[in-house]
């Protein structure tokens, strides 16, 4: 290993430009002749559009154009209302079939509403003007007449008899009724169970709130008939594919998508949004660039939200505390429309992880997805895996208490102990050591000292509790054969290209996208390790579809296991070509050339050629003496693994409650994770810290709330509480390592672990302190204050 290679704690190379204000985000970009867009959004959750009067707005200063759904989409059968364009709507790219075999009930999602709005914030019209203020002022002059319709708001009641239809013809507002698992085997397991634990809970809706709100700039060059979109995207190539093949903006080779520096995503910037479509389309109509940048309240209203599950779950055990079976019934809120990958989140990214770290013989998962008059719901950090872990770890904790068993012992008794392990819900766990993580976490958390800490808290009138969360995640989202068989519309491989210049400098072009993960550092560390070159000679290029060959982007903790594996394969080819070049230059057989620490040498001699010297010789073609060896040094690779990766670990939360105020304080946090081989421990620890913070936020603070009329009442930071530094303790981070066998680097992925593990750890700690089975999320001071005043009943076996 070089000083900057694999395993080194290299400071992030990209941070210098970020902390000095030299990052370049979409909203920093100004194009010549640029216009500004402001969207008129629906104030109603469900209404028919009777008329739109734009006359006063069009007469306002600076207005270049005002567009509605009638301008962008051919849909009215009279020639007077026909648009010259026929731009398609937004799509969902993952097909789910109901248990009866019928396809999911998709629905049209126009970029601008046609005749109906379906959530507060839905796109009614767009004003394009010389300045942003002019566009905003003009938007306020548009007069819209609505016929109000009753909204559907509550997830649990969306399918109830008498509820209005969010989309005409979608009975009971049900997108699909999906099932996974062994129904007869699970029923038999429950029939012979000595004990059954039943819990009902809600996984609260969250708003992503990345540091940088979304933005888009559409540009059109009429001479080249070329479109360019600058946007805040986690996967620009997929955005280009959808905008081209499904929305119909332009042929793929005529559309460039650029995602420059992106200030966080957490899943919400995976998707294609209406604003991107409209800005591109309007740029062509007006022959001028059109820019839109979201305000924070727009982000609250319109960015895809996360979670929002209502679940009933049951766990069956025998008399010895061995798990026999698990039954789960979930209603998953999709919001008003199906977002890009929404249908996969509560199905194949959720139910397939319901086995957790446990050897559960029989599992049955039923998921009903429903439409409501709320913002669309899609992937948010962890995307289905946090919801599954919450179900499993809450059941495990409560079952242990009801059986009178130590929660740690109950977990260890039921851990998967041999690998590979085939679960009843598709996944095949390839490698792990769950008990090792538990043992290490217990030692680090000083569980032996807990009774004394509880006594100290009690002496001060406080309650102290301990909560465990043994999570597992399927990530490295990639195996194309697997996801294709499950309904994905695209393969999820990754690409890379390594270009070595004649001077030995190296450019790595990757289809992965960095929006906070530190790719410019970790990817360069891999190159340093493999080629033995200084880190300052390596440049990582991403985020531009005109520069990088097709790639699938960043989400699902895939950048390391999939993106870096593609780079690794390309580096293999660079070294192989280098051996050939060195062999010709050193006048030796290729098979006699060895490569180590940046040097090509002839075995058994002192003849050697440094990497940079070899690179120069690769471009001096006459040195090859007519051999069949092409000049240059550039190699590409694609990587499509055979399995997901399965990071796992144990998080322990210790919490103290003031029952008089309901205020909870996370006092200690221990996390032991198995991420396989780690490139940069410092960056990995940072990812874990951030994930825990988001998970604690969900458990204690965050919750998107709609009132009964469909208004989002948590549409600003005044009403939606985000975790701050004072809400969190110092984290005690440890790692165990089992090498992943399904990629050449042995990596597993780390970006979502904290957000997956944290919510059940917090709630388990709260219920331990309070002596209750159940506390709702977010467990705000009011929730805890009320819970502290409920009688504590003994947890008896059923």
């Amino acid at each position: 290993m070089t000083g900057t290679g694999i395993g080194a704690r290299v400071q992030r190379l990209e941070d210098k430009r970020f902390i000095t204000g030299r990052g370049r985000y979409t909203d920093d970009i100004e194009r010549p002749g640029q216009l500004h867009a402001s969207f008129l959004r629906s104030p109603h959750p469900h209404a028919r559009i009777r008329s739109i009067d734009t006359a006063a707005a069009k007469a306002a200063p600076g207005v270049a154009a005002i567009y509605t759904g009638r301008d962008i989409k051919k849909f009215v059968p009279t020639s007077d209302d026909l648009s010259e364009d026929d731009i398609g709507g937004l799509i969902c790219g993952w097909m789910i079939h109901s248990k009866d075999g019928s396809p999911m009930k998709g629905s049209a999602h126009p970029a601008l509403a046609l005749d109906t709005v379906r959530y507060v914030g839905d796109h009614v019209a767009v004003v394009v003007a010389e300045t942003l203020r002019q566009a905003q002022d003009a938007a306020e002059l548009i007069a819209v007449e609505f016929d109000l319709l009753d909204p559907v708001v509550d997830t649990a009641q969306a399918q109830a008899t008498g509820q209005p239809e969010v989309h005409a013809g979608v009975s009971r507002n049900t997108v699909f009724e999906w099932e996974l698992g062994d129904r007869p085997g699970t029923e038999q397991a429950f029939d012979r169970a000595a004990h059954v634990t039943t819990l009902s809970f809600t996984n609260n809706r969250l708003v992503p709130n990345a540091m940088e709100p979304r933005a888009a700039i559409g540009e059109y060059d009429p001479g080249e008939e070329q479109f360019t979109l600058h946007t805040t995207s986690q996967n620009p190539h997929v955005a280009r594919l959808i905008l081209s093949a499904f929305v119909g903006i332009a042929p793929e080779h005529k559309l460039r998508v650029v995602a420059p520096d992106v200030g966080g995503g957490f899943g919400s910037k995976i998707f294609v949004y209406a604003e991107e479509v409209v800005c591109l389309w309007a740029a062509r109509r007006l022959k001028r660039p059109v820019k839109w940048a979201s305000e924070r309240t727009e982000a609250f209203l319109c960015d895809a939200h996360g979670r929002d599950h209502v679940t009933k779950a049951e766990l069956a055990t025998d008399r010895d505390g061995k798990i026999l079976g698990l039954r789960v019934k979930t209603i998953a809120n999709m919001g008003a429309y199906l977002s890009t990958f929404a249908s996969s989140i509560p199905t194949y990214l959720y139910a397939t992880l319901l086995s957790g770290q446990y050897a559960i013989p029989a599992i049955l998962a039923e998921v009903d997805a429903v439409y409501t008059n709320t913002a669309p719901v899609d992937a948010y950090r962890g995307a289905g895996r946090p919801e599954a872990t919450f179900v499993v770890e809450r059941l495990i904790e409560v079952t242990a208490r009801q059986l009178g068993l130590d929660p740690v012992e109950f977990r260890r008794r039921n851990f998967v102990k041999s690998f590979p392990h085939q679960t009843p819900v598709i996944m095949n766990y390839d490698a792990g050591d769950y008990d090792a993580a538990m043992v290490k976490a217990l030692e680090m958390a000083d569980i032996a000292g807990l009774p004394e800490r509880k006594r100290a808290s009690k002496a001060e009138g406080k309650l102290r509790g301990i909560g465990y969360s043994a999570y597992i995640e399927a990530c490295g989202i990639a195996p194309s054969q697997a996801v294709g068989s499950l309904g994905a519309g695209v393969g999820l491989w990754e690409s890379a290209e390594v270009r070595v210049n004649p001077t030995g400098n190296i450019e790595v072009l990757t289809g992965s996208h960095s929006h906070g993960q530190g790719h410019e550092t970790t990817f360069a560390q891999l190159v340093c390790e493999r080629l033995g070159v200084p880190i300052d000679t390596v440049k990582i290029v991403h985020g531009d579809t005109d520069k990088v060959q097709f790639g699938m982007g960043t989400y699902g903790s895939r950048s390391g296991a999939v993106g870096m594996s593609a780079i690794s394969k390309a580096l293999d080819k660079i070294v192989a070509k280098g051996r050939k070049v060195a062999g010709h230059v050193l006048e030796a057989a290729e098979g006699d050339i060895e490569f180590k620490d940046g040097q090509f040498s002839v075995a058994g001699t002192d003849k050697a050629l440094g990497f940079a010297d070899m690179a120069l010789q690769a471009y001096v073609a006459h040195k090859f003496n007519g051999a069949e060896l092409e000049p240059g040094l550039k190699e590409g690779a694609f990587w499509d693994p055979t399995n997901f990766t399965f990071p796992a670990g144990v998080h322990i939360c210790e919490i103290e409650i003031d029952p008089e105020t309901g205020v909870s304080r996370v006092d200690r946090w221990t996390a032991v994770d198995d991420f396989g081989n780690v490139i940069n421990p410092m960056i990995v620890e940072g990812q874990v810290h951030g994930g825990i913070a988001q998970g604690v936020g969900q458990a204690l603070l965050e919750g998107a709330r709609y009132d009964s009329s469909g208004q989002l009442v948590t549409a600003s930071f005044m009403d939606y509480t985000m975790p701050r530094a004072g809400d969190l303790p110092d984290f005690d981070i440890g790692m165990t390592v089992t090498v992943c066998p399904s990629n050449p680097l042995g990596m597993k992925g780390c970006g979502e672990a904290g957000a997956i593990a944290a919510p059940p750890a917090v709630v388990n700690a709260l219920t331990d302190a309070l002596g209750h089975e159940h506390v709702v999320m977010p467990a705000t001071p009011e929730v805890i204050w009320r819970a502290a005043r409920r009688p504590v009943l003994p947890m008896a076996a059923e």
Side-chain angles (χ1 to χ4, degrees):
M1 184 192 82
T2 67
T4 54
I6 292 175
R9 290 177 171 268
V10 179
Q11 290 189 351
R12 290 178 17 137
L13 304 177
E14 50 269 80
D15 283 353
K16 182 178 179 180
R17 74 171 185 274
F18 292 146
I19 63 177
T20 57
R22 292 181 173 87
R24 190 166 187 259
Y25 301 89
T26 299
D27 196 30
D28 293 326
I29 298 170
E30 303 289 335
R31 303 300 300 151
Q34 173 181 285
L35 295 166
H36 294 264
S38 177
F39 285 84
L40 178 67
R41 301 183 183 278
S42 172
H44 307 295
H46 201 193
R48 298 282 184 193
I49 299 174
R50 178 183 293 179
S51 66
I52 304 177
D53 185 351
T54 61
K58 285 180 177 177
V63 172
I66 298 175
Y67 300 118
T68 69
R70 292 173 179 260
D71 299 304
I72 200 169
K73 176 70 178 173
K74 290 180 181 178
F75 77 107
V76 181
T78 61
S79 59
D80 290 342
D81 291 322
L82 283 176
S83 166
E84 65 185 58
D85 297 314
D86 192 13
I87 299 301
L90 307 180
I91 67 158
C92 179
W94 199 300
M95 172 55 71
I96 298 295
H97 288 82
S98 290
K99 51 194 170 188
D100 65 3
S102 62
M104 66 187 186
K105 304 299 189 296
S107 57
H109 187 182
L112 293 173
L114 297 178
D115 58 357
T116 305
V117 290
R118 292 185 170 87
Y119 67 100
V120 173
D122 207 350
H123 309 73
V124 175
V126 62
V127 178
V128 185
E130 297 293 336
T131 70
L132 176 59
R133 179 57 63 191
Q134 288 173 334
Q136 292 171 332
D137 289 345
E140 294 181 359
L141 300 175
I142 299 175
V144 184
E145 288 189 60
F146 293 101
D147 289 330
L148 301 187
L149 302 171
D150 291 334
V152 179
V153 179
D154 187 78
T155 303
Q157 296 300 314
Q159 296 173 299
T161 302
Q163 287 278 14
E165 291 183 346
V166 176
H167 293 276
V170 180
S171 176
R172 300 173 56 241
N173 295 309
T174 301
V175 183
F176 52 76
E177 295 176 300
W178 179 84
E179 180 177 293
L180 180 67
D182 178 6
R183 180 179 288 274
T186 305
E187 290 176 352
Q188 291 170 14
F190 276 81
D191 287 343
R192 67 177 186 272
H195 176 80
V196 174
T197 299
T198 302
L199 287 177
S200 295
F201 33 69
T202 296
N203 209 290
N204 42 319
R205 178 185 279 239
L206 302 175
V207 180
N209 281 313
M211 187 180 298
E212 177 201 18
R214 291 189 299 112
I217 305 172
E219 194 168 2
Y220 180 68
D221 180 347
E224 298 287 338
E225 297 183 333
Q226 174 79 28
F227 289 83
T228 300
L229 173 67
H230 286 84
T231 185
T232 47
S233 176
Q234 296 177 218
N235 50 357
H237 284 93
V238 175
R240 184 183 68 172
L241 173 64
I242 292 173
L243 289 166
S244 174
F246 300 99
V247 179
I249 285 288
E252 215 170 350
H253 68 295
K254 292 289 187 178
L255 175 58
R256 178 190 182 193
V257 177
V258 182
D261 289 330
V262 174
F266 312 121
S268 69
K269 293 174 182 173
I270 298 172
F271 325 119
V272 173
Y273 288 91
E275 293 86 0
E276 295 160 318
V277 174
V278 172
C279 285
L280 279 170
W281 172 81
R284 182 169 68 83
R285 290 287 293 264
L286 297 169
K287 305 298 188 291
R288 292 175 65 182
V290 176
K291 179 177 183 177
W292 169 79
S294 173
E295 296 185 349
R296 185 59 70 177
T297 293
E298 285 185 289
F300 271 100
L301 290 173
C302 304
D303 288 6
H305 292 175
R307 316 292 192 247
D308 205 342
H309 285 191
V310 174
T311 296
K312 178 182 178 181
E314 301 170 284
L315 189 71
T317 54
D318 66 14
R319 297 187 184 278
D320 297 321
K322 292 291 288 184
I323 299 173
L324 300 177
L326 172 66
R327 275 196 302 234
V328 177
K329 175 63 184 288
T330 293
I331 302 173
N333 193 344
M334 296 287 96
Y337 302 98
L338 291 181
S339 180
T340 310
F341 294 110
S343 57
S344 68
I345 308 305
T347 51
Y348 291 112
L349 294 181
Y350 164 67
T352 56
L353 272 298
L354 286 171
S355 193
Q357 294 189 15
Y358 309 102
I360 304 178
I363 298 175
L364 175 64
E366 297 177 275
V367 179
D368 290 359
V370 297
Y371 287 122
T372 62
N373 294 112
T374 63
V377 177
D378 209 315
Y380 174 70
R381 196 170 191 170
R385 283 70 57 86
E387 296 92 313
T389 298
F390 192 80
V391 169
V392 173
E393 287 303 291
R394 289 292 294 123
L395 278 172
I396 291 290
E397 189 78 14
V398 173
T399 299
R401 297 176 192 175
Q402 290 182 349
L403 293 175
L405 295 173
D406 178 78
V408 172
E409 170 55 29
F410 182 57
R411 285 177 168 85
R412 296 178 73 177
R413 187 176 299 184
N414 288 284
F415 276 159
V416 172
K417 295 179 174 65
S418 63
F419 296 87
H421 172 79
Q422 178 64 55
T423 75
V425 279
I426 297 179
M427 293 300 180
N428 187 287
Y429 300 164
D430 50 14
D433 189 342
Y434 306 149
D435 201 61
M438 177 63 82
V439 170
K440 186 170 184 176
L442 292 172
E443 179 181 350
M444 291 171 57
D446 184 25
I447 297 301
L450 178 62
E452 178 57 34
R453 294 194 294 274
K454 282 194 171 188
R455 284 191 292 270
S457 294
K458 185 177 180 180
E460 297 181 0
K462 306 289 181 63
L463 304 173
R464 181 174 288 265
I466 195 83
Y468 301 92
S469 178
Y471 78 93
I472 189 169
E473 177 186 7
C475 64
I477 304 298
S480 294
Q481 185 174 8
V483 298
S485 69
L486 303 179
V490 292
L492 293 180
W493 39 263
E494 197 47 84
S495 70
E497 184 178 358
V498 177
R499 299 175 181 174
V500 182
N501 298 318
T503 56
N505 295 316
I506 300 164
E507 295 175 279
V508 178
L509 288 76
T510 172
S512 300
H513 185 275
S514 181
H515 42 277
Q517 293 85 353
H519 293 174
E520 293 176 33
T521 305
T522 53
F523 288 14
Q525 285 182 254
L526 172 62
V527 177
C528 293
E529 178 79 14
R530 294 290 303 281
L531 301 184
V533 298
I535 200 166
D536 60 5
T537 65
V538 182
K539 180 181 179 181
I540 308 300
V541 180
H542 65 93
D544 187 337
T545 61
D546 269 14
K547 294 181 179 179
V548 179
Q549 63 186 337
F550 202 103
M552 299 308 298
T554 295
Y555 40 85
S557 297
R558 69 190 306 271
S559 296
V562 188
M564 291 183 75
S565 290
I567 296 172
S568 177
K569 302 303 287 186
L571 291 171
D572 288 344
K573 296 179 182 179
I574 290 291
V575 172
K577 176 73 174 288
R579 284 195 174 97
K580 293 180 179 180
V581 173
H584 282 283
V585 173
L586 298 174
E587 299 179 334
E590 180 185 341
D592 291 334
I593 299 296
E594 298 176 341
F595 180 66
K596 184 179 181 181
D597 297 333
Q599 291 281 324
F600 293 91
S601 59
V602 180
T605 75
D606 59 358
K607 297 172 66 176
L609 191 67
F611 183 85
D613 293 329
M614 180 280 299
L616 177 61
Q617 296 303 317
Y619 289 88
V620 184
H622 63 78
K623 293 289 184 70
F624 299 157
N625 298 320
E628 293 184 3
L629 183 62
E630 292 182 353
L633 195 54
K634 180 180 75 171
E635 299 290 347
F638 288 75
W639 175 253
D640 195 348
T642 57
N643 197 0
F644 301 96
T645 69
F646 297 97
V650 174
H651 286 218
I652 303 176
C653 170
E654 193 169 323
I655 206 160
E656 188 178 62
I657 296 171
D658 183 345
E660 295 303 314
T661 63
V663 173
S664 303
R665 181 177 66 89
V666 180
D667 186 50
R668 301 161 68 99
W669 196 285
T670 302
V672 175
D673 301 286
D674 177 4
F675 298 134
N677 291 331
V678 170
I679 302 296
N680 186 321
M682 181 191 70
I683 288 179
V684 168
E685 290 165 6
Q687 288 281 346
V688 174
H689 290 179
I692 294 170
Q694 286 184 268
V696 171
Q698 174 174 9
L700 295 178
L701 304 168
E702 299 183 51
R705 299 287 182 87
Y706 287 88
D707 65 18
S708 59
S709 67
Q711 294 292 330
L712 182 64
V713 297
T714 53
S716 76
F717 290 135
M718 294 293 290
D719 305 296
Y720 186 96
T721 308
M722 299 281 283
R724 296 180 292 182
D727 297 311
L728 304 165
D730 290 336
F731 301 121
D732 197 3
I733 304 296
M735 295 182 196
T736 60
V737 177
T738 58
V739 176
C740 177
S742 63
N743 64 71
L745 299 174
M747 301 174 67
K748 295 186 179 183
C750 67
E752 298 164 300
I756 294 169
V762 172
V763 175
N764 286 339
L766 291 171
T767 55
D768 178 55
L770 292 166
H772 292 305
E773 288 190 356
H774 185 56
V775 171
V776 300
M777 295 191 297
T780 61
E782 179 186 358
V783 168
I784 297 302
W785 183 84
R786 293 185 183 279
R789 278 146 185 77
R790 294 202 308 265
V792 178
L793 301 176
M795 294 184 183
E798 295 180 2

